[in-house]
Amino acid sequence: MPKGYWIARVDVRDAEGYKDYVAAAKPAFERFGAKFLARGGEHEKAEGPGRERNVLIEFESLAAAHDCYHSPEYQRAVAIRQKVADGEIVLVEGI
């Protein structure tokens, strides 16, 4: 079965508030076996406007990626994140 991934691109407006999001999201990531492959760090905006923070998270399947995003635990974290950051998250099936 192919892996599932979250591709998240984020501009953080409030670094202190973003720490609250990270703490709130942790239980969902643990529950669904999230494996962070990239989280912030150096990057190059090769094409398009880009974002300052880029995150790649691996899950056992696209269904697990979907279930994590839509879980009550993560949705509580979303409410925090949307107050302190702008961005987008795409769920994608691996090959």
Side-chain angles (χ1 to χ4, degrees), residues 9 11 20 23 25 28 31-32 37-38 52 54-57 59-60 73-75 78 91:
R9 301 169 56 239
D11 288 329
D20 294 336
R31 178 177 166 207
F32 291 95
L37 303 178
E52 289 304 312
N54 300 283
V55 182
L56 179 60
I57 308 170
F59 293 86
E60 284 302 311
E73 299 95 331
Y74 190 72
Q75 288 304 302
V78 167
L91 311 183

Side-chain angles (χ1 to χ4, degrees), residues 4-6 21 24-36 57-78 81 89 91:
Y5 298 89
W6 286 19
Y21 157 72
K26 186 176 179 180
F29 291 143
E30 289 176 347
R31 178 177 166 207
F32 291 95
K35 179 180 177 184
F36 285 80
I57 308 170
E58 181 181 79
F59 293 86
E60 284 302 311
S61 65
L62 182 57
H66 173 274
D67 291 347
C68 182
Y69 182 83
H70 294 284
S71 69
E73 299 95 331
Y74 190 72
Q75 288 304 302
R76 284 190 288 277
V78 167
R81 179 178 41 79
I89 296 175
L91 311 183

